Amino acid sequence: MVETFTWKVEREVDPTIEYRVIEAQFGDGYKQSSADGINTENAQYAIKVNAYKLEAKQIMDFFNRHKGYRSFFWTPPLGDLSLYTCTDPKPVEQGGGLYTITGTFVKSFSAPQ
């Protein structure tokens, strides 16, 4: 069963979205472009979640279960529910039991494991 990342991320989600294309430039200035494969969208989102210790532990347990290579579902801002991975979760204690967890969600096209 594929899990879903349901925790609320901060509004400052920083996306990097690129489309893979193949281009051929001709001598007369004409350029021809086409998609590079069927899954051409490379999308990454730098996320941040603020949570108190118990919830922060649940979030880190989620990432530990996925170990950076297992896909999970997540819905990005202005996007649709899709598969993502996260290889770089970072929990930082802010004091008073509050933690900030950051990471990069990368859109995945592999079969869920």
Side-chain angles (χ1 to χ4, degrees):
M1 182 176 119
V2 180
E3 292 184 89
T4 301
F5 187 87
T6 57
W7 292 275
K8 184 180 181 302
V9 299
E10 294 295 312
R11 285 198 256 182
E12 310 90 41
V13 173
D14 186 20
T16 300
I17 301 171
E18 297 175 343
Y19 300 100
R20 286 189 324 276
V21 297
I22 298 172
E23 295 183 338
Q25 182 72 49
F26 298 95
D28 60 358
Y30 176 75
K31 179 169 67 171
Q32 193 171 24
S33 301
S34 67
D36 182 15
I38 58 171
N39 297 316
T40 62
E41 181 185 3
N42 291 330
Q44 297 184 31
Y45 296 85
I47 61 101
K48 177 170 76 169
V49 178
N50 290 313
Y52 286 100
K53 187 174 183 176
L54 178 62
E55 186 178 25
K57 172 111 173 60
Q58 293 170 347
I59 295 168
M60 288 308 299
D61 288 346
F62 177 91
F63 289 131
N64 288 333
R65 281 193 303 278
H66 291 82
K67 301 196 181 304
Y69 71 91
R70 289 189 180 119
S71 299
F72 54 86
F73 284 115
W74 180 64
T75 304
L78 298 177
D80 297 318
L81 184 69
S82 299
L83 290 170
Y84 289 85
T85 58
C86 181
T87 61
D88 63 346
K90 296 175 190 71
V92 176
E93 187 175 3
Q94 301 297 322
L98 182 65
Y99 288 78
T100 297
I101 300 171
T102 59
T104 305
F105 286 7
V106 179
K107 192 166 188 176
S108 173
F109 296 103
S110 62
Q113 296 182 4

